mmCIF file of all heavy atoms in Angstrom:
data_model
loop_
_atom_site.group_PDB
_atom_site.id
_atom_site.type_symbol
_atom_site.label_atom_id
_atom_site.label_comp_id
_atom_site.label_asym_id
_atom_site.label_seq_id
_atom_site.Cartn_x
_atom_site.Cartn_y
_atom_site.Cartn_z
ATOM 1 N N ASN K 145 175.035 43.218 82.405
ATOM 2 C CA ASN K 145 175.102 42.081 83.326
ATOM 3 C C ASN K 145 176.442 41.367 83.271
ATOM 4 O O ASN K 145 176.622 40.336 83.919
ATOM 5 C CB ASN K 145 173.976 41.090 82.996
ATOM 6 C CG ASN K 145 172.607 41.687 83.216
ATOM 7 O OD1 ASN K 145 172.382 42.369 84.214
ATOM 8 N ND2 ASN K 145 171.687 41.454 82.282
ATOM 9 N N GLY K 146 177.379 41.874 82.470
ATOM 10 C CA GLY K 146 178.697 41.265 82.375
ATOM 11 C C GLY K 146 178.867 40.444 81.122
ATOM 12 O O GLY K 146 178.173 40.642 80.125
ATOM 13 N N THR K 147 179.790 39.501 81.159
ATOM 14 C CA THR K 147 180.112 38.657 80.019
ATOM 15 C C THR K 147 179.545 37.268 80.246
ATOM 16 O O THR K 147 179.650 36.714 81.337
ATOM 17 C CB THR K 147 181.633 38.570 79.830
ATOM 18 O OG1 THR K 147 182.163 39.877 79.643
ATOM 19 C CG2 THR K 147 181.988 37.707 78.624
ATOM 20 N N ARG K 148 178.949 36.697 79.189
ATOM 21 C CA ARG K 148 178.376 35.359 79.317
ATOM 22 C C ARG K 148 178.411 34.665 77.963
ATOM 23 O O ARG K 148 178.407 35.310 76.919
ATOM 24 C CB ARG K 148 176.939 35.415 79.831
ATOM 25 C CG ARG K 148 175.958 36.045 78.848
ATOM 26 C CD ARG K 148 174.610 36.291 79.475
ATOM 27 N NE ARG K 148 173.599 36.683 78.518
ATOM 28 C CZ ARG K 148 173.479 37.877 77.988
ATOM 29 N NH1 ARG K 148 174.327 38.831 78.320
ATOM 30 N NH2 ARG K 148 172.509 38.146 77.131
ATOM 31 N N GLY K 149 178.425 33.348 77.997
ATOM 32 C CA GLY K 149 178.276 32.582 76.779
ATOM 33 C C GLY K 149 176.825 32.592 76.341
ATOM 34 O O GLY K 149 175.910 32.686 77.174
ATOM 35 N N LEU K 150 176.594 32.509 75.033
ATOM 36 C CA LEU K 150 175.240 32.510 74.500
ATOM 37 C C LEU K 150 174.826 31.093 74.137
ATOM 38 O O LEU K 150 175.591 30.334 73.553
ATOM 39 C CB LEU K 150 175.155 33.399 73.261
ATOM 40 C CG LEU K 150 175.355 34.902 73.492
ATOM 41 C CD1 LEU K 150 175.298 35.651 72.173
ATOM 42 C CD2 LEU K 150 174.310 35.452 74.456
ATOM 43 N N ARG K 151 173.578 30.764 74.486
ATOM 44 C CA ARG K 151 173.034 29.453 74.153
ATOM 45 C C ARG K 151 171.537 29.581 73.955
ATOM 46 O O ARG K 151 170.855 30.206 74.768
ATOM 47 C CB ARG K 151 173.308 28.446 75.257
ATOM 48 C CG ARG K 151 173.149 26.997 74.801
ATOM 49 C CD ARG K 151 174.246 26.638 73.814
ATOM 50 N NE ARG K 151 174.020 25.336 73.178
ATOM 51 C CZ ARG K 151 174.695 24.930 72.107
ATOM 52 N NH1 ARG K 151 175.619 25.683 71.546
ATOM 53 N NH2 ARG K 151 174.447 23.737 71.587
ATOM 54 N N VAL K 152 171.029 29.017 72.854
ATOM 55 C CA VAL K 152 169.599 29.071 72.601
ATOM 56 C C VAL K 152 168.867 28.239 73.648
ATOM 57 O O VAL K 152 169.437 27.352 74.283
ATOM 58 C CB VAL K 152 169.251 28.553 71.189
ATOM 59 C CG1 VAL K 152 169.936 29.397 70.121
ATOM 60 C CG2 VAL K 152 169.639 27.087 71.033
ATOM 61 N N ALA K 153 167.593 28.530 73.837
ATOM 62 C CA ALA K 153 166.761 27.761 74.759
ATOM 63 C C ALA K 153 166.004 26.685 73.984
ATOM 64 O O ALA K 153 165.468 26.954 72.911
ATOM 65 C CB ALA K 153 165.775 28.677 75.478
ATOM 66 N N THR K 154 165.972 25.481 74.514
ATOM 67 C CA THR K 154 165.258 24.383 73.869
ATOM 68 C C THR K 154 163.845 24.320 74.430
ATOM 69 O O THR K 154 163.633 24.029 75.599
ATOM 70 C CB THR K 154 165.975 23.041 74.110
ATOM 71 O OG1 THR K 154 167.295 23.128 73.579
ATOM 72 C CG2 THR K 154 165.220 21.897 73.449
ATOM 73 N N ARG K 155 162.864 24.624 73.576
ATOM 74 C CA ARG K 155 161.449 24.597 73.955
ATOM 75 C C ARG K 155 160.686 23.802 72.908
ATOM 76 O O ARG K 155 160.995 23.853 71.724
ATOM 77 C CB ARG K 155 160.893 26.027 74.048
ATOM 78 C CG ARG K 155 161.420 26.821 75.230
ATOM 79 C CD ARG K 155 161.241 28.308 75.019
ATOM 80 N NE ARG K 155 159.879 28.681 74.686
ATOM 81 C CZ ARG K 155 158.966 29.079 75.582
ATOM 82 N NH1 ARG K 155 159.279 29.147 76.855
ATOM 83 N NH2 ARG K 155 157.746 29.423 75.197
ATOM 84 N N HIS K 156 159.657 23.083 73.357
ATOM 85 C CA HIS K 156 158.918 22.217 72.443
ATOM 86 C C HIS K 156 157.424 22.531 72.385
ATOM 87 O O HIS K 156 156.719 21.967 71.551
ATOM 88 C CB HIS K 156 159.106 20.751 72.851
ATOM 89 C CG HIS K 156 160.536 20.303 72.824
ATOM 90 N ND1 HIS K 156 161.187 19.919 71.672
ATOM 91 C CD2 HIS K 156 161.453 20.214 73.820
ATOM 92 C CE1 HIS K 156 162.440 19.594 71.957
ATOM 93 N NE2 HIS K 156 162.627 19.763 73.248
ATOM 94 N N THR K 157 156.954 23.382 73.256
ATOM 95 C CA THR K 157 155.521 23.686 73.296
ATOM 96 C C THR K 157 155.310 25.189 73.443
ATOM 97 O O THR K 157 156.170 25.912 73.956
ATOM 98 C CB THR K 157 154.852 22.974 74.476
ATOM 99 O OG1 THR K 157 155.491 23.379 75.710
ATOM 100 C CG2 THR K 157 154.938 21.461 74.334
ATOM 101 N N PRO K 158 154.133 25.692 72.993
ATOM 102 C CA PRO K 158 153.815 27.109 73.159
ATOM 103 C C PRO K 158 153.522 27.420 74.632
ATOM 104 O O PRO K 158 153.393 26.502 75.439
ATOM 105 C CB PRO K 158 152.564 27.279 72.287
ATOM 106 C CG PRO K 158 151.951 25.926 72.221
ATOM 107 C CD PRO K 158 153.093 24.949 72.287
ATOM 108 N N PRO K 159 153.446 28.712 74.963
ATOM 109 C CA PRO K 159 153.447 29.860 74.048
ATOM 110 C C PRO K 159 154.834 30.130 73.473
ATOM 111 O O PRO K 159 155.822 30.150 74.202
ATOM 112 C CB PRO K 159 152.981 31.022 74.934
ATOM 113 C CG PRO K 159 153.393 30.614 76.316
ATOM 114 C CD PRO K 159 153.264 29.126 76.373
ATOM 115 N N TRP K 160 154.888 30.336 72.141
ATOM 116 C CA TRP K 160 156.143 30.612 71.465
ATOM 117 C C TRP K 160 156.503 32.084 71.617
ATOM 118 O O TRP K 160 155.642 32.949 71.576
ATOM 119 C CB TRP K 160 156.043 30.265 69.978
ATOM 120 C CG TRP K 160 155.614 28.867 69.713
ATOM 121 C CD1 TRP K 160 154.443 28.455 69.160
ATOM 122 C CD2 TRP K 160 156.359 27.680 70.001
ATOM 123 N NE1 TRP K 160 154.406 27.079 69.076
ATOM 124 C CE2 TRP K 160 155.570 26.579 69.586
ATOM 125 C CE3 TRP K 160 157.613 27.437 70.571
ATOM 126 C CZ2 TRP K 160 155.995 25.255 69.715
ATOM 127 C CZ3 TRP K 160 158.039 26.119 70.700
ATOM 128 C CH2 TRP K 160 157.237 25.048 70.281
ATOM 129 N N ARG K 161 157.778 32.323 71.768
ATOM 130 C CA ARG K 161 158.289 33.695 71.845
ATOM 131 C C ARG K 161 158.805 34.066 70.458
ATOM 132 O O ARG K 161 159.796 33.522 69.996
ATOM 133 C CB ARG K 161 159.390 33.797 72.896
ATOM 134 C CG ARG K 161 158.927 33.377 74.293
ATOM 135 C CD ARG K 161 160.099 33.114 75.212
ATOM 136 N NE ARG K 161 160.952 32.053 74.669
ATOM 137 C CZ ARG K 161 162.138 31.724 75.195
ATOM 138 N NH1 ARG K 161 162.603 32.356 76.246
ATOM 139 N NH2 ARG K 161 162.847 30.767 74.645
ATOM 140 N N VAL K 162 158.124 34.991 69.807
ATOM 141 C CA VAL K 162 158.360 35.280 68.395
ATOM 142 C C VAL K 162 158.898 36.701 68.228
ATOM 143 O O VAL K 162 158.325 37.656 68.758
ATOM 144 C CB VAL K 162 157.054 35.137 67.578
ATOM 145 C CG1 VAL K 162 157.310 35.362 66.099
ATOM 146 C CG2 VAL K 162 156.420 33.767 67.818
#
Side-chain angles (χ1 to χ4, degrees):
N145 296 317
T147 302
R148 67 190 189 283
L150 293 178
R151 197 68 189 167
V152 300
T154 300
R155 290 160 53 94
H156 300 279
T157 58
W160 305 112
R161 302 164 301 172
V162 183

